[in-house]
Every structure is written in structure tokens, then in C-alpha cells.
Amino acid sequence: CSCAFWPLIRYLFHSVGLNVNNPHFLIMQGRITKVLNMKPAETLGMIEEAAGTRMFELKKQQSIKIMEKKETKLDEIKRLINDDIAP
């Protein structure tokens, strides 16, 4: 392909572990154009999803939210102990 985007396309697929030189490598029609027109955040999301790291990032974010809620409850309990129970 004499396309100026070929190095970018090759790099993108290599970054997610796909070998474009493999004779069994298939690309869905229209997918390359969609990938090239993606915003950086969308491209990163696609790579994370293909690499299998997106699931762990989502679980991490959920865990952080739970920890923040627990920390808020703990602060409230400490406040109650200091204000209402402690002499």
C-alpha cells in the first residue's frame, strides 16, 4: 500500500500483538478508516480492550470508588467517636 498511514497502521496492530505479515491476518472492511479517524482516547481504549487490560482498569476504578466510600464512613465514625463518645 502506498498509503501514508501504513506505518501508523502497522504500528497500531503490532502494539496489540497482531502480525500484519501473517498470511492469515484479516482486517474487516472499513475498520482501518475507522481506526485512523479515532481520537487518541478511543484508540487507547481499543488497544486496552484488545490487550485485555480494560477489564482490570474498570475493576480498579470500581475498587477505588468503594475504598473512597469506606474512607468516608470511617471518617464519620471517627468523628462520632471523638464528638459523642470520647470524654
Side-chain angles (χ1 to χ4, degrees), residues 51-65:
T53 59
R54 174 163 281 199
M55 175 183 65
F56 295 107
E57 186 63 32
L58 292 174
K59 286 183 178 185
K60 177 183 171 184
Q61 293 301 324
Q62 291 170 344
S63 297
I64 288 172
K65 285 181 183 179

Side-chain angles (χ1 to χ4, degrees), residues 4-87:
F5 293 111
W6 183 244
L8 175 64
I9 294 166
R10 184 178 295 274
Y11 173 77
L12 175 67
F13 288 118
H14 279 284
S15 69
V16 295
L18 298 173
N19 182 2
V20 295
N21 296 320
N22 182 341
H24 301 290
F25 181 78
L26 298 174
I27 302 172
M28 295 187 330
Q29 185 175 357
R31 185 73 175 161
I32 294 295
T33 304
K34 183 178 179 182
V35 169
L36 291 175
N37 291 327
M38 286 181 171
K39 295 177 184 172
E42 293 171 325
T43 305
L44 177 62
M46 182 188 72
I47 292 170
E48 288 175 342
E49 191 171 323
T53 59
R54 174 163 281 199
M55 175 183 65
F56 295 107
E57 186 63 32
L58 292 174
K59 286 183 178 185
K60 177 183 171 184
Q61 293 301 324
Q62 291 170 344
S63 297
I64 288 172
K65 285 181 183 179
I66 291 170
M67 288 172 51
E68 288 171 349
K69 288 179 183 179
K70 300 289 183 180
E71 189 68 32
T72 301
K73 288 181 181 182
L74 182 60
D75 290 342
E76 178 66 18
I77 290 169
K78 287 178 182 178
R79 188 193 61 76
L80 287 172
I81 289 173
N82 288 333
D83 293 350
D84 297 339
I85 299 174

